[in-house]
């Protein structure tokens, strides 16, 4: 295995999670409109100006990080292209990841142009979840060993149900965020949904996800399949749940909200890992 390919694949995944966290910092410091327009930072300048203060620096700095993430994705794609024998699916995943990053930048620009509309901000976060998914699958395909046994169909179905529930948890969390106080700017709109109601729905989905994850562990154990992915998933979910409950009852301090955003990415990656553990063997291609 090419160590450069493995390293760039992991770096791409970490970078895409990292830019979610820095994007969260932009919102939590009320710097969402630090650059009040897009693609320029101001009507006259592509860069921040001293008059814009720290909020402009934070927002513009997050925009610059996009180019770092793109550079890492390009390096990963080149490494996949140069690998011999070349793996078509790996190259495709690298390309999709690369194209998804500037698309995310465009959605981020639309959030600015719409004065941080909470639904567009939510779409921006879900776009990050999509890119994290492709980056994870890229890295996973790099480091995977071939599967020799076919997992039981009920186990794989349960893994898919767990994954879809995990996605529903993420979406509900985005809606909760859109109803809360951290809008990214003092004058930004909220989605006008009742925070207590949507938080309760989010919590109910979390309980369902944890229950399904526990069921996935026992199903894997009975089937003789690997149980470690389900254990990791349960551990990450419980940690994220603790952060979520503490932040809710302490009135959403910014550090805990930022940690919860990171936790959302880690829960999703752990969910993908649990699903991936139930994958079928790939068909062999005759020489």
């Amino acid at each position: 295995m090419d160590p450069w390919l493995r390293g760039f694949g992991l770096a791409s995944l970490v970078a895409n999670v990292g830019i979610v966290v820095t994007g969260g910092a932009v919102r939590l410091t009320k710097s969402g409109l630090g650059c009040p327009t897009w693609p320029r930072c101001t009507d006259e300048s592509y860069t921040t100006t001293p008059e814009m203060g720290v909020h402009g620096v934070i927002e513009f700095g997050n925009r610059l990080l996009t180019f770092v993430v793109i550079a890492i994705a390009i390096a990963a794609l080149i490494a996949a292209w140069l690998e011999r024998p070349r793996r078509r699916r790996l190259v495709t995943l690298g390309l999709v990841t690369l194209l998804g990053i500037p698309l995310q930048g465009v959605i981020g620009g639309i959030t600015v142009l719409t004065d941080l509309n909470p639904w567009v901000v939510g779409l921006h976060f879900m776009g990050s979840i999509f890119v994290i998914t492709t980056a994870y699958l890229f890295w996973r395909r790099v480091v995977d060993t071939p599967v020799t046994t076919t997992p039981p169909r009920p186990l794989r179905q349960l893994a898919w149900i767990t994954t879809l529930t995990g996605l529903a948890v993420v979406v509900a969390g985005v809606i909760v965020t859109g109803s809360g106080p951290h809008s990214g700017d003092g004058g930004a709109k909220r989605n006008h949904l009742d925070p207590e109601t949507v938080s309760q729905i989010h919590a109910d989905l979390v309980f369902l996800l944890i229950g399904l994850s526990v069921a996935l562990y026992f199903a894997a154990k009975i089937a003789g399949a690997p149980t470690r992915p389900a254990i990791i998933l349960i551990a990450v979910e419980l940690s994220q749940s603790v952060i979520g409950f503490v932040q809710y009852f302490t009135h959403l301090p910014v550090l805990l909200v930022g940690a919860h955003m990171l936790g959302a990415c880690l829960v999703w990656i752990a969910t993908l890992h649990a699903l991936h553990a139930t994958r079928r063997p790939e068909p062999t291609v005759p020489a």
Side-chain angles (χ1 to χ4, degrees):
M1 180 191 304
D2 185 351
W4 286 100
L5 178 58
R6 181 171 185 166
F8 284 133
L10 180 58
S12 181
L13 176 59
V14 172
N16 279 287
V17 172
I19 202 167
V20 170
V21 177
T22 60
V26 171
R27 179 169 61 85
L28 295 171
T29 57
K30 298 184 178 180
S31 303
L33 295 178
C35 289
T37 189
W38 185 88
R40 295 173 182 261
C41 194
T42 69
D43 290 335
E44 296 79 23
S45 174
Y46 280 99
T47 63
T48 184
T49 61
E51 294 78 15
M52 300 170 69
V54 65
H55 293 308
V57 172
I58 293 173
E59 163 65 5
F60 183 70
N62 189 64
R63 293 187 184 189
L64 288 181
L65 285 176
T66 301
F67 294 100
V68 176
V69 180
I70 289 175
I72 296 173
I74 290 173
L77 178 59
I78 292 174
W81 180 266
L82 295 177
E83 185 189 30
R84 294 295 182 270
R86 183 181 298 151
R87 288 178 280 178
R88 180 182 299 177
R89 289 186 180 181
L90 188 64
V91 172
T92 301
L93 285 169
L95 181 60
V96 172
T97 301
L98 174 60
L99 295 177
I101 298 168
L103 178 60
Q104 266 294 82
V106 172
I107 299 175
I110 295 173
T111 67
V112 173
L113 297 177
T114 57
D115 295 326
L116 306 181
N117 181 291
W119 298 107
V120 182
V121 173
L123 178 63
H124 190 42
F125 184 83
M126 293 310 300
S128 293
I129 292 296
F130 172 77
V131 178
I132 288 172
T133 301
T134 59
Y136 169 81
L137 293 176
F138 179 93
W139 174 73
R140 191 75 259 177
R141 186 166 287 274
V142 170
V143 301
D144 265 346
T145 54
V147 176
T148 57
T149 59
T150 301
R153 184 178 179 184
L155 175 61
R156 184 159 179 82
Q157 289 175 333
L158 178 58
W160 270 108
I161 293 172
T162 304
T163 302
L164 293 175
T165 304
L167 183 60
V169 167
V170 173
V171 172
V174 168
I175 296 174
V176 171
T177 299
S179 69
H182 298 298
S183 62
D185 184 80
K189 297 179 180 180
R190 302 282 74 203
N191 60 23
H192 303 300
L193 298 177
D194 178 51
E196 290 190 8
T197 301
V198 291
S199 295
Q200 184 61 58
I201 294 173
H202 179 54
D204 292 342
L205 288 171
V206 169
F207 290 136
L208 176 60
L209 178 61
I210 293 174
L212 288 170
S213 302
V214 172
L216 185 63
Y217 164 78
F218 285 108
K221 189 176 183 65
I222 293 172
T227 57
R228 185 178 179 183
I231 293 174
I232 293 174
L233 176 57
I234 294 168
V236 175
E237 288 168 348
L238 292 177
S239 300
Q240 174 74 337
S241 298
V242 170
I243 295 173
F245 278 109
V246 172
Q247 72 161 4
Y248 181 80
F249 289 109
T250 55
H251 307 292
L252 305 175
V254 293
L255 290 179
L256 284 182
V257 174
H260 201 54
M261 291 184 67
L262 172 61
C265 297
L266 297 181
V267 167
W268 180 243
I269 291 173
T271 304
L272 293 174
H273 183 50
L275 174 65
H276 191 73
T278 65
R279 67 193 185 281
R280 296 190 183 95
E282 294 186 7
T284 57
V285 179

